[in-house]
Amino acid sequence: MDIDDGEIQSVWTRPQRRKRDQPALSRAQIVDAAIELLASEGTEALSMRKLGAKLNAGATSLYTHVANKDEIVELAADKVMGELTVPDPAHPGGWRAAMREFATELRGLILRNPWLAAVFGEIGTLYLGPNMMRSCEGVLSVLESAGFDDERADNAMNVLFGYVVGVTAAEAASMAVIRRSGLDVADWLGKMLAAGEAASRNYPRLHKRYTSRLDVADVQMPADTFAQQVEIILDGLDPAFREHVRG
């Protein structure tokens, strides 16, 4: 993201460039190809040259639609964000169920598109995209309908997004390490737990946890851990829960 004369430089903040008659490439084609490259090589490897080669087009054809690589990433990220279901204030399970489902869906989206986690941290203008704004608007509408004031709704949304993006980025990175190891998930985790058990022998609380997990016959990534942690966050946000604890 660049700043020029006090203005945020983003595909979302500048007027679209005037298109040539019958351009050889559409913006949609460029974005689709960029998503494929991002999926296979990540944000660092994406370049205008590589993208042009993939599309059998020169870089000048790309500049008809975008100013630089960052704008392509913005467009690609926002298109992927469009896969999310916008939270509904009328969810039959209430605000907690709506937030739980949104968090779970966002996690799945990032795991399918690991490059997206880096974009959340590196390109702040992602939040200016229409699909991202639609999701945020939905989250806020659910929380405000549940009685959250503006400040609490903002904080709740930021906490939930921050947790999901952070923990899922780590999860996606771990899965990449496992793939590079050539082992399946169970084998890799078994070896990792054995190493942790040996390394933690001077730390009794950690050692107890590593030892107990070594006894599990079928070691898998804990499918319910994410859900349990989201519930802890929702408990902290839920005024009724906090009143119960204080009582």
Side-chain angles (χ1 to χ4, degrees):
M1 177 180 67
D2 298 321
I3 299 179
D4 181 20
D5 297 329
E7 296 295 328
I8 297 295
Q9 301 301 301
S10 165
V11 72
W12 308 118
T13 60
R14 66 167 175 78
Q16 288 194 28
R17 298 185 174 192
R18 187 174 181 178
K19 297 181 177 64
R20 299 174 299 176
D21 293 336
Q22 296 181 335
L25 290 173
S26 68
R27 175 179 278 191
Q29 288 174 304
I30 294 170
V31 171
D32 287 345
I35 290 172
E36 291 180 11
L37 279 176
L38 287 164
S40 62
E41 302 186 32
T43 56
E44 291 300 317
L46 179 67
S47 68
M48 300 293 271
R49 179 186 59 79
K50 281 188 177 180
L51 187 55
K54 183 174 179 62
L55 291 162
N56 295 316
T60 53
S61 298
L62 305 184
Y63 289 121
T64 302
H65 299 280
V66 294
N68 50 42
K69 167 187 163 178
D70 282 351
E71 290 195 358
I72 291 174
V73 175
E74 286 179 313
L75 290 165
D78 198 64
K79 177 169 183 178
V80 170
M81 289 296 296
E83 297 175 18
L84 290 175
T85 303
V86 177
D88 184 357
H91 192 292
W95 74 270
R96 287 184 65 129
M99 293 299 92
R100 185 183 304 117
E101 289 179 9
F102 179 76
T104 301
E105 199 172 328
L106 179 58
R107 172 179 177 260
L109 184 73
I110 296 173
L111 288 178
R112 294 192 303 274
N113 303 274
W115 57 271
L116 194 59
V119 174
F120 273 104
E122 295 174 1
I123 302 181
T125 48
L126 169 65
Y127 294 90
L128 300 178
N131 285 322
M132 185 66 179
M133 285 196 166
R134 198 172 294 116
S135 289
C136 291
E137 182 76 8
V139 169
L140 291 173
S141 68
V142 168
L143 295 170
E144 290 180 7
S145 295
F148 286 62
D149 62 28
D150 287 357
E151 182 177 6
R152 286 186 58 235
D154 288 348
N155 287 335
M157 179 175 69
N158 291 335
V159 166
L160 196 62
F161 262 104
Y163 165 73
V164 175
V165 172
V167 76
T168 309
E171 188 176 356
S174 294
M175 296 307 296
V177 170
I178 293 171
R179 285 194 297 272
R180 290 196 297 270
S181 76
L183 300 172
D184 63 25
V185 173
D187 286 344
W188 186 88
L189 281 173
K191 290 179 183 297
M192 189 65 184
L193 288 174
E197 186 275 334
S200 64
R201 288 173 185 168
N202 292 328
Y203 307 93
R205 292 170 182 80
L206 288 173
H207 190 252
K208 179 176 70 175
R209 286 158 173 78
Y210 278 111
T211 302
S212 65
R213 290 167 186 164
L214 281 174
D215 295 335
V216 177
D218 185 20
V219 182
Q220 297 288 336
M221 283 286 191
D224 59 345
T225 298
F226 177 83
Q228 290 172 0
Q229 292 173 354
V230 168
E231 288 303 316
I232 291 171
I233 292 171
L234 295 178
D235 285 344
L237 298 174
D238 191 338
F241 179 85
R242 294 202 304 276
E243 286 299 322
H244 172 73
V245 172
R246 280 198 290 266

